[in-house]
Amino acid sequence: MNRAFNFSAGPAVLPLEVLEESREAVFNYNNTGMSIMEMSHRSKDYDALFKEAQADCLKIMGLSQDEYYVLFLGGGASLQFLMIPFNFLKTQADYISTGVWAKKAIKEAKWVGKTNIVGSSEDANFNYIPDTFNFTPDADYVHITTNNTIYGTEWKNNIPDTGNIPLFADMSSDMFAMHRDWSKYDLIYAGAQKNIGPAGVTMVVIKKSLLDKKKENVPTMLDYKIHVDNESLYNTPPCFPVYVVGRTFKWILKHGLDSIQANNEKKAGLLYDYMDANADFYKPTVKNVRDRSLMNVCWNLQTPELEAKFIADAKAKYNMTNLKGHRSVGGVRASIYNACPNEWVEALVKFMGEFMKENK
Ligand SMILES: *Cc1c(COP(=O)(O)O)cnc(C)c1O
């Protein structure tokens, strides 16, 4: 098959071998004579793969099943914006505002209670990660967004120390892009469709002890404890997406997070280094090297017309797709998630050289 160079921000590229395994499972899962989509979510076969996906997730993170629980839920990362405050915002919560998704999380928290913005980069159109915060000593939790998909900024190992305040993170667009000290977090969530699978499932990793702090009277489907008590099968889970996420976890385990992170650094480095060396033509929107995302690389050219030509030429010449920046910021964006092969980025850099020569 001739794969397109797909730089989509999400739903996004998946490992080819995961697609091949999924194709097989769609017709005949594990020689059961049934499609993965035709099986009861309470059957022995399905239950085994579901539990394995949960276990593999914690294995990648080096967390113990005694301390943490993995949920696979519907509703996207966007529903987590609301579930979190419904369960845990009792008096007030601290949020760091680093982009559109962070702001959407803040908007939902406001339905529930007092929401403090304790750090923000909105003053510079979110093109950096802030580093001074005034945490509220008795805040119920602090919420951050580790990778800002639209602006191309990312928290690396500079995650703030929140002391005794539980730390929650939206990792939708850089889940398993790099090593993190996962044990620092009380709750991590990620819509699968950026870096770990197809759309339709959201992974939530929750510290079991956090459930003791849950509010009373949470509506059933929004209640983390009900989902945990029912082993993430309170209702029918997104069966097929969970299968694909499980295969992606196997792929991560096979390669190891070390090598995945090293590859991500290499790929992003190719693009940023090339642009820094040709800064009169290609202008990365994030200037601070520390804050540059490994997953979403954003840049501008001299004019919007030249950007449109760049995007059109890349498509016409090499079938490079989805390079258009998010509609709210414009410019060019290459999303180069874990499954994006190094060769795709090398091809993109080569095209950038050709385009500059022709249009400078
Ligand atoms: C895409 C994205 C979301 C929204 O995810 P949905 O699954 O569409 O609700 C939330 N946060 C971040 C950081 C994202 O990149």
Side-chain angles (χ1 to χ4, degrees):
M1 182 185 39
N2 215 349
R3 295 265 276 163
F5 294 108
N6 178 10
F7 296 104
S8 170
V13 55
L14 287 167
L16 189 55
E17 62 189 79
V18 169
L19 294 180
E20 282 163 351
E21 289 166 342
S22 303
R23 174 174 62 183
E24 185 60 32
V26 162
F27 288 100
N28 182 7
Y29 176 70
N30 215 7
N31 284 321
T32 54
M34 283 181 279
S35 166
I36 187 76
M37 296 191 284
E38 298 173 317
M39 294 168 54
S40 164
H41 59 292
R42 313 222 180 254
S43 65
K44 206 168 113 264
D45 284 294
Y46 191 79
D47 192 57
L49 87 81
F50 195 88
K51 289 204 162 72
E52 203 166 322
Q54 291 173 309
D56 284 344
C57 178
L58 294 181
K59 197 165 165 185
I60 301 169
M61 298 173 132
L63 297 177
S64 105
Q65 298 204 41
D66 296 334
E67 266 193 281
Y68 285 85
Y69 196 83
V70 179
L71 297 169
F72 293 118
L73 304 176
S78 299
L79 186 61
Q80 296 307 306
F81 297 164
L82 184 66
M83 266 177 85
I84 285 173
F86 248 94
N87 282 265
F88 299 115
L89 202 170
K90 290 175 176 163
T91 328
Q92 54 188 326
D94 287 358
Y95 280 74
I96 300 178
S97 180
T98 50
V100 161
W101 296 115
K103 281 181 79 171
K104 287 192 175 179
I106 293 163
K107 181 177 171 220
E108 298 309 303
K110 284 183 176 161
W111 286 110
V112 180
K114 186 161 183 278
T115 307
N116 312 309
I117 297 174
V118 295
S120 171
S121 50
E122 192 160 12
D123 58 349
N125 198 28
F126 301 116
N127 70 2
Y128 69 101
I129 295 289
D131 42 24
T132 47
F133 315 103
N134 310 306
F135 296 121
T136 313
D138 59 348
D140 295 313
Y141 58 85
V142 173
H143 180 281
I144 64 170
T145 311
T146 51
N147 185 70
N148 299 284
T149 327
I150 294 172
Y151 305 91
T153 62
E154 186 175 29
W155 300 80
K156 309 278 173 48
N157 51 14
N158 52 323
I159 302 289
D161 183 1
T162 59
N164 292 327
I165 314 172
L167 178 61
F168 295 1
D170 175 358
M171 295 196 185
S172 293
S173 54
D174 71 347
M175 192 72 232
F176 295 141
M178 66 180 76
H179 278 291
R180 293 191 182 279
D181 183 355
W182 316 96
S183 68
K184 276 192 180 164
Y185 301 84
D186 290 74
L187 191 152
I188 292 164
Y189 63 99
Q193 71 274 19
K194 309 282 169 51
N195 213 20
I196 55 169
V201 61
T202 306
M203 181 188 97
V204 180
V205 180
I206 188 166
K207 201 170 192 175
K208 289 179 179 172
S209 59
L210 184 69
L211 292 170
D212 301 337
K213 299 182 188 159
K214 189 187 73 70
K215 301 205 294 186
E216 301 287 318
N217 303 322
V218 179
T220 312
M221 279 297 285
L222 302 183
D223 188 325
Y224 288 113
K225 188 162 188 308
I226 288 184
H227 287 293
V228 171
D229 288 348
N230 287 277
E231 301 190 344
S232 198
L233 296 172
Y234 174 76
N235 69 326
T236 318
C239 295
F240 180 61
V242 172
Y243 165 81
V244 183
V245 167
R247 298 321 301 173
T248 308
F249 290 164
K250 291 284 183 213
W251 178 83
I252 294 171
L253 285 167
K254 186 174 108 185
H255 292 277
L257 208 46
D258 279 340
S259 105
I260 285 178
Q261 174 171 354
N263 256 335
N264 287 337
E265 285 164 355
K266 190 169 157 199
K267 285 183 289 183
L270 278 176
L271 281 166
Y272 291 121
D273 289 350
Y274 181 78
M275 290 195 276
D276 287 339
N278 296 283
D280 53 339
F281 196 79
Y282 291 111
K283 303 169 191 308
T285 52
V286 182
K287 303 285 180 280
N288 189 345
V289 172
R290 182 200 69 176
D291 299 341
R292 287 176 170 175
S293 171
L294 299 181
M295 301 277 94
N296 312 97
V297 181
C298 302
W299 68 91
N300 288 105
L301 285 88
Q302 280 85 338
T303 64
E305 291 72 34
L306 199 58
E307 288 163 352
K309 184 166 194 297
F310 179 90
I311 293 159
D313 282 10
K315 176 83 176 94
K317 278 180 114 169
Y318 296 110
N319 201 17
M320 293 176 175
T321 67
N322 292 302
L323 282 167
K324 201 168 185 306
H326 189 268
R327 59 189 186 281
S328 62
V329 293
V332 183
R333 171 175 59 176
S335 297
I336 51 171
Y337 296 113
N338 287 356
C340 170
N342 293 19
E343 299 78 51
W344 293 14
V345 177
E346 288 159 14
L348 177 58
V349 171
K350 185 165 161 276
F351 166 70
M352 290 167 81
E354 293 168 13
F355 185 84
M356 185 169 69
K357 225 186 222 162
E358 288 165 18
N359 293 279
K360 206 168 172 170

